[in-house]
Amino acid sequence: MRTDEHLQRHRIEDKTSRECMMNREPNTHEIRMTIPANESLLHFATGAARQYAELAGFHEEEAYKIELAVEEAVMNVIHHGLSEEDGAPTFEISFSISTPSGICIRIREMGLPFDPSEVSHYDPRSAPLNGVVTGLGVHLIRDMVDVVEYRNLG
């Protein structure tokens, strides 16, 4: 099963992800990497996310939020989507300019399908009480970027 996750961050809040996904013109500023699904290599994805955000003109705080969203998304891929039984699993991450004031980050992997509606809603008030933290990664991703989309590609 292939999952395609789109993260998008804008400096202007009224843009939509449709621009990210419909922008199929050649993008001279697109960067694409295939990375082994190994936690020790996470810094390649997060470092590229931060640098791309800064190059696109995001301030340090915004670049950090983008980096954090990518870290959470990639960790979800590594821990929940891919398995060593699949051989040497990898994921692809790409960065592109989606509008004059936004970037689009795509993470693609050939792992288990992911349905965010099946993830428990993270409630910071109850998490410390029962000791079980679920949904925090998805919560952080949604909080750090403007648009998050998940697509199971078959």
Side-chain angles (χ1 to χ4, degrees):
M1 190 57 89
R2 186 175 185 127
T3 301
D4 193 6
E5 183 171 359
H6 298 271
L7 308 176
Q8 192 166 5
R9 180 77 182 176
H10 298 287
R11 289 186 299 274
I12 300 172
E13 298 294 321
D14 63 347
K15 303 295 182 190
T16 66
S17 65
R18 186 175 305 275
E19 294 173 45
C20 171
M21 298 192 324
M22 300 305 281
N23 186 4
R24 292 312 221 200
E25 300 170 14
N27 186 335
T28 58
H29 300 293
E30 182 176 23
I31 296 172
R32 186 175 302 216
M33 300 185 295
T34 300
I35 302 173
N38 184 314
E39 233 178 285
S40 67
L41 301 174
L42 174 66
H43 66 279
F44 285 104
T46 58
R50 182 187 259 307
Q51 289 182 353
Y52 196 87
E54 289 172 353
L55 287 171
F58 287 92
H59 298 291
E60 186 176 337
E61 181 180 332
E62 293 172 314
Y64 171 74
K65 289 179 179 181
I66 292 167
E67 179 182 21
L68 180 59
V70 167
E71 178 178 339
E72 291 297 331
V74 169
M75 289 300 285
N76 284 342
V77 165
I78 291 170
H79 289 288
H80 305 295
L82 298 172
S83 166
E84 291 295 326
E85 296 169 2
D86 298 327
T90 62
F91 65 92
E92 179 183 287
I93 186 165
S94 64
F95 307 89
S96 60
I97 302 294
S98 62
T99 68
S101 62
I103 62 174
C104 177
I105 301 167
R106 290 184 179 97
I107 301 169
R108 293 187 175 140
E109 42 89 3
M110 296 289 288
L112 298 171
F114 177 70
D115 182 356
S117 68
E118 293 180 4
V119 175
S120 299
H121 175 71
Y122 174 72
D123 182 358
R125 296 177 306 252
S126 67
L129 299 176
N130 63 19
V132 177
V133 179
T134 60
L136 177 59
V138 172
H139 171 77
L140 286 172
I141 294 167
R142 288 181 177 148
D143 199 44
M144 296 294 118
V145 297
D146 297 325
V147 178
V148 180
E149 291 187 8
Y150 300 91
R151 286 203 225 155
N152 291 324
L153 303 175

